[in-house]
Amino acid sequence: MTRDITESKRIDDFRRDFVGNVSHELRTPLTVIQGFLELATENPNLNEEDRLHWEMMLEQAERMRALVDDLLALSRLEQDAAPASRELIDVDEILEEAAAEGRMISGGAHEIKIAKVASEGILGDFKDMRSAVTNLVTNAVRYTPKDGKIELSWEVKDDHGILSVKDNGIGIAPEHIPRVTERFYRVDKSRSRETGGTGLGLAIVKHVLFRHQAQLQIESELGKGSTFKIIISKARLAPPINSKDLLSGTVPESSPVIGV
């Protein structure tokens, strides 16, 4: 059996281009609006009620800017389906930056720590992998109540790497797990909006991992928390790295991964 998908592909391409173009056009006016709102909130002559109103407007402008940024990132990833580059990535650096971002969003309300880090590296795109891990961490913060714990780890076993983000938050019901990587799909709509989520974080993670020939595994139980695991294949693993390798951005020539 054969089926002509020309029209459906054309419509899908049009939708993707439209979202990307509109997001790009919204970025400049939003930047101007956000800038003037920031200036307005710094006015020392504002009374408390007016200041509250200006701060609310600034908060919403920042949420719109975050949504536009995520839409642009997702559009870029969808348009570029080619395998990611193979630069040498220090996983410890990615975890440290993701943990720092999580602590900033948490504002001290959660305990965020890095449990263990294997010495092996990853061959891929540093910026995209950092984005994926940061999205997992900030997602954990948003769905974990105050005083909760979030743990990051990186280990290598059985010829593959496992980068995990574990929390003791509200958890995810089994029927939601297959859909959490869809655009704008929210397990708890009110909680995600209250904490500033755009609903695109896990969709971005899915596309980043696709380009790295990696997989996302989700283990969760309602009321007990969730563990998001990025499974890195052997072809994307680098042997234990040192500072000299990181400076050069290459894998040692003796590496068994070269040429895979």
Side-chain angles (χ1 to χ4, degrees):
M1 296 180 63
T2 61
R3 182 165 63 95
D4 186 355
I5 62 170
T6 304
E7 184 63 15
S8 61
K9 186 178 185 305
R10 187 189 67 81
I11 294 173
D12 189 55
D13 290 343
F14 174 78
R15 174 195 59 80
R16 183 169 56 245
D17 292 342
F18 175 78
V19 170
N21 292 334
V22 169
S23 300
H24 182 75
E25 292 300 323
L26 285 173
R27 200 171 197 173
T28 298
L30 274 175
T31 301
V32 175
I33 292 170
Q34 187 176 345
F36 279 109
L37 287 173
E38 288 173 352
L39 286 174
T41 56
E42 295 172 1
N43 185 350
N45 299 321
L46 284 178
N47 59 50
E48 285 305 312
E49 184 177 3
D50 288 341
R51 185 180 302 280
L52 176 62
H53 293 162
W54 284 110
E55 289 176 348
M56 289 174 64
M57 286 189 286
L58 177 59
E59 180 183 352
Q60 295 306 312
E62 290 172 344
R63 284 188 61 187
M64 290 179 67
R65 177 63 183 269
L67 177 59
V68 167
D69 288 344
D70 280 356
L71 282 170
L72 286 172
L74 194 54
S75 178
R76 176 183 63 82
L77 289 168
E78 286 182 333
Q79 290 175 0
D80 185 7
S85 61
R86 295 174 65 86
E87 61 182 283
L88 182 57
I89 299 174
D90 182 1
V91 182
D92 185 44
E93 183 179 355
I94 283 182
L95 296 185
E96 289 288 353
E97 292 188 15
E101 181 77 12
R103 294 186 188 105
M104 183 181 70
I105 293 175
S106 168
H110 304 81
E111 178 186 342
I112 302 176
K113 67 176 183 178
I114 299 174
K116 54 186 174 180
V117 182
S119 57
E120 287 85 352
I122 294 175
L123 301 175
D125 185 297
F126 178 87
K127 184 178 179 181
D128 282 351
M129 284 300 299
R130 178 180 59 189
S131 172
V133 178
T134 300
N135 272 308
L136 292 182
V137 174
T138 56
N139 196 63
V141 170
R142 293 187 175 103
Y143 287 95
T144 301
K146 185 179 179 181
D147 297 324
K149 297 181 179 180
I150 298 168
E151 182 179 283
L152 289 69
S153 65
W154 163 243
E155 57 184 329
V156 176
K157 59 181 181 180
D158 299 329
D159 292 331
H160 65 271
I162 305 174
L163 201 161
S164 302
V165 177
K166 181 180 180 181
D167 66 66
N168 62 348
I170 63 175
I172 306 171
E175 64 268 24
H176 291 300
I177 291 178
R179 299 191 60 191
V180 293
T181 57
E182 295 178 9
R183 291 181 178 212
F184 300 113
Y185 188 83
R186 301 173 189 267
V187 175
D188 185 336
K189 296 179 175 61
S190 61
R191 184 177 185 88
S192 181
R193 290 195 179 98
E194 287 173 2
T195 53
T198 64
L200 294 172
L202 292 181
I204 291 173
V205 171
K206 180 182 72 173
H207 282 83
V208 168
L209 299 190
F210 174 78
R211 294 189 63 222
H212 285 80
Q213 295 82 53
Q215 296 179 335
L216 179 65
Q217 290 185 2
I218 304 173
E219 301 170 0
S220 188
E221 188 174 349
L222 279 175
K224 293 188 176 181
S226 307
T227 301
F228 287 77
K229 296 180 179 180
I230 295 176
I231 310 300
I232 304 294
S233 66
K234 181 180 179 181
R236 287 283 178 175
L237 284 179
I241 55 182
N242 56 45
S243 58
K244 182 179 178 181
D245 297 330
L246 290 176
L247 288 173
S248 64
T250 59
V251 183
E253 290 186 2
S254 59
S255 167
V257 179
I258 289 294
V260 175

